[in-house]
Amino acid sequence: METRESYEQGRHEQGRAATGRRALLGAAVLGAGGAVLGLPGTASAGARHGGGLEGLPVPTIIGHRGASGYRPEHTFGSYQLALDLGADIVEAGDLVPTRDGHLVCRHEPEIGGTTDVANHPEFANRKTTKVLDGVSTTGWFTEDFTLAELKTLRAVERIPATRQRNTLYDGRWEIPTFEEVLHWQDEQTRKRGRQVWIYPEIKHPTYFRKLGLGLEERLAKILRRHGKDGRRAPVAVQSFEPTSLQRMHKLVGNPLLVLLSTANSRPWDFVETHDPRTVADLVTPKGLAEIASYARGIGPTLDLVIPKDAKGNLTEPTTLVADAHAAGLLLHPYTMRDENTFLPTDFQKGTDPNAYGDVFGAFRRYFETGIDGVFTDNADTGVLAREDYLRR
């Protein structure tokens, strides 16, 4: 399936730059150009020729749930800032359904930690305990709310103990629907004069299908309605469940990427269908060849690219990058963050887990493996790290 030729424009956009956190918090941003005031732009970012996902700068910088290092995740404030900081793609968003069948953007269907729902007495009786992919989870779930009810809630910072500054923005933004995201994408494409890309994730598809809320068909219908269902459409779709993407492969032509957790874990759809394979099986040449039959790439955890030792230090890279490239797959691992608590031990600085570590050094180690892109909560850091790496 093909899409409008307009999806091709701007595919070689390169080398935007950003300031550090202090200027970021001042929100001094150039709107249409997408560059933060402070440092000049550069044309150093490598780009493949051709359209679609392959035409973006390499390594591709993916704004993880927007700019979640600086704003509450999966809000238009977070998405907008990710673009302003130079992200090539914005992960907008993690898709979960409402009771009346709308797709909304939340990290998980349980919203007690990402919204102010606990402060709404009218929803106190909605708090419940469910088994989500084998894990007993207590809270409030999107599938128990209509869209109109969810729109009365406001987003809050998910990890306030680590990102206290982000709590400044608690209550500012509502929960976006995926259709609103697509309208925002079109608006930003017009304003910036280049095609804006998004990277939604299908969340817990087996769980929701058992509830009669199949996500793939809903997502495909929305993409077709907006003319964004082709192989060069600026919407890449990801999921931790391979069978979900196999289903999407039959419905739309969009680039698809399989997310991969730790080596000894099993995708939940495999658990439900008694498929004994683990992620370790999927990252073998045989497993990668199978993925390549329906997907354009993989999104492995960074530990599958460079494992850590018992002390949390990086060791030597695995063969995953070479094996995936041999199968014709792109690699977009997750997730780079600036804070010590999220960095390998050998790239941490000082004893404060919330302080920033040597994230540029960590980026360099991962870029040196040949990955095609990376998810990051701090797009400005990722853009600068890419410039450093390509300038070496």
Side-chain angles (χ1 to χ4, degrees):
M1 288 176 278
E2 295 292 336
T3 60
R4 298 187 300 272
E5 291 183 358
S6 62
Y7 291 154
E8 296 293 322
Q9 71 180 99
R11 64 180 182 266
H12 297 301
E13 179 74 12
Q14 300 176 353
R16 290 145 297 186
T19 59
R21 182 178 177 89
R22 183 175 300 175
L24 178 146
L25 290 173
V29 172
L30 291 173
V36 175
L37 290 171
L39 293 176
T42 175
S44 61
R48 295 185 178 90
H49 296 291
L53 199 60
E54 294 79 1
L56 293 171
V58 179
T60 305
I61 303 303
I62 304 159
H64 185 233
R65 306 173 196 160
S68 51
Y70 310 115
R71 301 289 188 271
E73 62 193 30
H74 287 312
T75 61
F76 279 118
S78 185
Y79 298 158
Q80 185 78 27
L81 186 57
L83 286 182
D84 293 338
L85 296 179
D88 304 303
I89 311 177
V90 179
E91 189 191 28
D94 292 336
L95 303 182
V96 293
T98 66
R99 187 172 67 194
D100 45 353
H102 296 275
L103 295 183
V104 296
C105 303
R106 287 291 85 193
H107 172 48
E108 291 288 343
E110 197 290 301
I111 55 174
T114 61
T115 73
D116 62 356
V117 64
N119 297 331
H120 285 252
E122 68 273 25
F123 299 135
N125 63 353
R126 305 281 178 93
K127 188 174 185 180
T128 187
T129 298
K130 301 188 180 189
V131 178
L132 181 62
D133 290 3
V135 178
S136 180
T137 305
T138 298
W140 292 263
F141 295 80
T142 58
E143 66 267 24
D144 295 332
F145 291 77
T146 66
L147 178 60
E149 289 172 331
L150 285 180
K151 283 294 187 179
T152 67
L153 307 179
R154 291 296 180 269
V156 300
E157 171 57 35
R158 184 175 61 87
I159 47 174
T162 300
R163 293 172 172 166
Q164 300 96 331
R165 291 181 178 89
N166 292 13
T167 63
L168 174 66
Y169 306 99
D170 284 356
R172 180 170 289 270
W173 294 289
E174 62 181 26
I175 298 174
T177 69
F178 186 59
E179 291 220 59
E180 289 170 343
V181 165
L182 292 178
H183 289 303
W184 169 83
Q185 178 188 28
D186 290 340
E187 178 186 65
Q188 292 301 309
T189 294
R190 290 191 298 270
K191 286 183 176 180
R192 295 170 188 269
R194 65 175 181 84
Q195 180 61 63
V196 167
W197 274 75
I198 61 173
Y199 212 149
E201 178 188 341
I202 302 172
K203 300 290 292 192
H204 305 290
T206 295
Y207 168 81
F208 284 117
R209 183 164 295 278
K210 292 173 72 173
L211 296 179
L213 292 167
L215 300 183
E216 296 88 354
E217 294 80 6
R218 284 174 168 79
L219 176 56
K221 183 178 180 180
I222 293 172
L223 291 173
R224 287 194 293 264
R225 183 186 306 143
H226 289 262
K228 297 181 180 180
D229 58 329
R231 66 184 181 89
R232 294 188 184 274
V235 182
V237 180
Q238 52 184 327
S239 179
F240 278 100
E241 297 190 17
T243 59
S244 177
L245 293 182
Q246 290 170 359
R247 188 184 298 272
M248 284 298 296
H249 180 64
K250 296 176 182 178
L251 295 172
V252 294
N254 297 70
L256 310 174
L257 289 94
V258 178
L259 297 171
L260 300 168
S261 188
T262 56
N264 61 355
S265 66
R266 291 170 66 198
W268 187 251
D269 52 337
F270 285 15
V271 175
E272 289 279 343
T273 58
H274 307 291
D275 186 328
R277 290 178 297 168
T278 66
V279 166
D281 297 305
L282 296 182
V283 297
T284 63
K286 178 181 179 181
L288 293 168
E290 178 185 334
I291 289 174
S293 69
Y294 60 88
R296 184 66 194 89
I298 58 174
T301 177
L302 286 164
D303 287 347
L304 291 176
V305 178
I306 308 180
K308 298 187 185 79
D309 64 19
K311 295 182 178 180
N313 298 313
L314 292 185
T315 59
E316 293 300 314
T318 67
T319 63
L320 178 58
V321 174
D323 292 342
H325 285 166
L329 295 168
L330 299 173
L331 287 93
H332 291 164
Y334 64 92
T335 304
M336 286 296 296
R337 299 175 168 106
D338 288 358
E339 295 89 356
N340 277 328
T341 190
F342 302 116
L343 289 171
T345 302
D346 42 341
F347 291 95
Q348 296 175 10
K349 288 184 176 181
T351 58
D352 181 356
N354 299 329
Y356 284 1
D358 179 18
V359 67
F360 292 110
F363 265 112
R364 183 174 61 253
R365 281 291 308 275
Y366 290 116
F367 285 159
E368 287 171 348
T369 67
I371 59 175
D372 301 286
V374 66
F375 287 83
T376 176
D377 288 7
N378 310 83
D380 54 338
T381 307
V383 169
L384 290 174
R386 177 174 64 191
E387 291 177 5
D388 291 345
Y389 172 70
L390 295 175
R391 193 183 294 125
R392 76 198 190 287

